[in-house]
Amino acid sequence: MNLKYRKTVIAGNWKMNNNLTATKEFADAIKPKLGRHKWCDVVLCVPYVNIPGAVKAFKDAHLAIGAENCHYEDHGAFTGEVTADMLRDVGARYVILGHSERRQYYNETDFAVNKKIKAALNVGLKTIVCVGESLEQREYGVTEELIAYQVKAALTGLDDSAMRHVIIAYEPIWAIGTGKTATAEQAGEVCAHIRFTVRKMYGARVARALTIQYGGSMNAKNAAELLAQPDIDGGLIGGASLKPDDFAAIIAAANQ
Ligand code: PEP
């Protein structure tokens, strides 16, 4: 973390978990543990249908609600899809885009991710843009090239001012939901490379201000070590964000 230049952001990704009742129970359980966490922003990205309920449940807490995806068009014949404007309208403030599960199971391409980022920024949503390599790609030694490519493709066409609303989450695919965390050094190295890539695209000022999260089995035990890396400015947290005690402990680690 580097609080002098940029915000720390801790974001939960609930994926396809927790109905409305569970959402309310989670809010009741975590709110007393949240404290003021003045050093970092906290976000919870929940399934579409729970966004209004989550916004209501957290209305008196310093925690923003986000979505886990959106479509890139602003209306049209796309059965089952949701626009960025619809998300904003029901109270979402953030949206996760390009998560590896969406790339893998729904064939989401870098091109589509870029269009989604533009659609989300256009209506005032902050975007959490996920990039990350598979185990095979890491073993082939192409992690840095691949991540640089994903970052460039995602950010194509965005100007400096748009970049103020972009967070990049480095999520090695082999560490998501597997219990295998990248070591703090491995994660820190790739996050530094992301900042280097952004510096080449936008210059030092934009790169220095960019929040870069690590995601991949971050938990209450390893959060402090990961967050101590100078280029890791927060976390995108799946499994541990479903447990109020664990999620609160990660937020606490970001506030030390
Ligand atoms: C994620 O889904 O973005 C994630 C990081 O999941 P987990 O923390 O469970 O690995």
Side-chain angles (χ1 to χ4, degrees):
M1 297 189 290
N2 186 332
L3 294 168
K4 188 167 163 211
Y5 293 117
R6 46 194 178 257
K7 266 268 179 224
T8 300
V9 181
I10 298 293
N13 173 15
W14 273 6
K15 311 191 187 197
M16 199 172 69
N17 293 295
N18 284 344
N19 63 13
L20 187 54
T21 308
T23 302
K24 288 178 187 156
E25 284 167 4
F26 182 94
D28 290 343
I30 200 168
K31 276 197 286 187
K33 301 179 206 294
L34 277 179
R36 288 200 35 77
H37 59 84
K38 56 182 172 193
W39 305 123
C40 78
D41 288 347
V42 180
V43 184
L44 205 49
C45 297
V46 303
Y48 291 143
V49 291
N50 288 337
I51 292 172
V55 169
K56 197 168 165 210
F58 282 102
K59 78 172 183 314
D60 48 355
H62 181 50
L63 181 152
I65 298 302
E68 301 171 12
N69 179 37
C70 71
H71 199 274
Y72 48 77
E73 294 292 351
D74 61 6
H75 70 282
F78 299 100
T79 303
E81 291 290 331
V82 166
T83 68
D85 174 61
M86 291 169 188
L87 299 175
R88 173 87 206 180
D89 200 35
V90 291
R93 294 291 170 260
Y94 288 76
V95 59
I96 298 172
L97 295 170
H99 192 281
S100 61
E101 286 156 13
R102 297 219 48 97
R103 293 177 190 257
Q104 187 181 348
Y105 303 134
Y106 304 99
N107 303 320
E108 220 169 85
T109 62
D110 291 299
F111 180 61
V113 173
N114 174 250
K115 292 209 290 182
K116 288 179 179 206
I117 296 167
K118 288 174 179 157
L121 294 175
N122 214 17
V123 300
L125 288 174
K126 290 185 190 296
T127 59
I128 299 177
V129 180
C130 302
V131 297
E133 82 286 5
S134 66
L135 189 55
E136 199 180 26
Q137 289 161 335
R138 175 161 281 268
E139 286 169 355
Y140 267 69
V142 297
T143 299
E144 290 201 346
E145 290 87 338
L146 179 92
I147 299 292
Y149 168 77
Q150 288 179 335
V151 168
K152 284 183 195 163
L155 303 182
T156 295
L158 302 191
D159 62 16
D160 289 20
S161 68
M163 286 300 290
R164 279 193 270 131
H165 308 289
V166 172
I167 293 169
I168 297 183
Y170 167 54
E171 297 213 304
I173 298 168
W174 48 273
I176 297 179
T178 58
K180 279 188 207 155
T181 320
T183 64
E185 291 70 29
Q186 280 174 326
E189 249 172 46
V190 181
C191 291
H193 190 67
I194 291 173
R195 201 176 306 286
F196 172 73
T197 305
V198 171
R199 189 162 61 232
K200 283 204 291 190
M201 294 176 77
Y202 292 94
R205 193 181 49 81
V206 170
R208 213 168 38 212
L210 176 72
T211 294
I212 302 176
Q213 299 173 319
Y214 167 77
S217 300
M218 191 187 257
N219 58 41
K221 288 207 182 88
N222 60 26
E225 197 192 349
L226 287 158
L227 294 170
Q229 290 288 318
D231 285 297
I232 300 183
D233 313 306
L236 181 56
I237 297 126
S241 74
L242 295 167
K243 301 176 200 140
D245 286 347
D246 291 19
F247 196 48
I250 295 170
I251 296 163
N255 276 290
Q256 268 159 19

